[in-house]
């Protein structure tokens, strides 16, 4: 069957001998539903978690690298605060607290990904933005 997945598949053309790849089916389901839970489910079964690639907004020359990194440190601090508050009241992390920690962690990962992508795209390269 894996061999068939490598052959061309066209639902409109019965002469094609390929079979639709199960990952293509998952991609189609995601495209139709726009529900990231499916992708996260798959990542969970692979031992991980899904993090969306953020939409990176163009940075103006006023945007400073230091301000961006300070924001990441602040979000990490908020994650640590969430963990501290969760365990401080009863010495254990309850399921609802674990969910808050997960949400805080997912937000931090997303922010870090946005920052790294902005760096890769040269958004913090002042020399590249100078005229002439």
């Amino acid at each position: 069957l894996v061999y068939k997945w490598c052959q061309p598949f066209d639902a409109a053309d019965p002469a094609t001998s390929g079979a639709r790849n199960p990952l293509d089916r998952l991609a189609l389901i995601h495209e139709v539903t726009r529900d990231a839970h499916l992708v996260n489910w798959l990542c969970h079964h692979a031992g991980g978690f899904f993090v969306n690639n953020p939409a990176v907004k163009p940075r103006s020359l006023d945007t400073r690298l230091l301000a961006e990194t300070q924001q990441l440190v602040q979000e990490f601090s908020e994650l640590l605060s969430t963990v501290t508050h969760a365990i401080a009241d009863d010495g254990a992390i309850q399921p609802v607290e674990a969910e808050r920690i997960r949400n805080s962690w997912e937000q931090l990962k997303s922010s870090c990904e946005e920052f790294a992508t902005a760096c890769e795209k040269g958004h913090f390269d002042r020399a590249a933005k100078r005229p002439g």
Side-chain angles (χ1 to χ4, degrees), residues 13-75:
D13 183 4
T16 60
S17 60
R20 180 167 268 165
N21 181 326
L23 294 177
D24 291 335
R25 291 178 184 175
L26 288 174
L28 180 60
I29 291 170
H30 177 259
E31 184 180 322
V32 170
T33 65
R34 290 289 177 217
D35 186 356
H37 288 97
L38 169 71
V39 179
N40 197 35
W41 174 84
L42 182 60
C43 290
H44 177 73
H45 283 282
F49 289 92
F50 174 69
V51 177
N52 259 332
N53 286 332
V56 178
K57 303 166 208 90
R59 306 303 204 252
S60 69
L61 288 177
D62 301 16
T63 303
R64 296 170 312 187
L65 180 61
L66 182 58
E68 295 284 331
T69 55
Q70 286 175 335
Q71 178 64 34
L72 293 178
V73 170
Q74 176 64 34
E75 287 186 29

Side-chain angles (χ1 to χ4, degrees), residues 7 27 39 56 80 87 91 94 106 108-109 115 123 131:
Q7 295 176 346
V39 179
V56 178
L80 294 176
I87 203 155
Q94 303 302 322
E106 293 298 329
L108 176 61
K109 288 192 297 186
F115 176 74
H123 289 231

Side-chain angles (χ1 to χ4, degrees), residues 85-105:
H85 284 77
I87 203 155
D89 59 350
D90 60 2
I93 296 177
Q94 303 302 322
V96 70
E97 295 167 327
E99 185 175 338
R100 279 197 297 267
I101 291 167
R102 167 60 60 197
N103 290 337
S104 184
W105 174 239

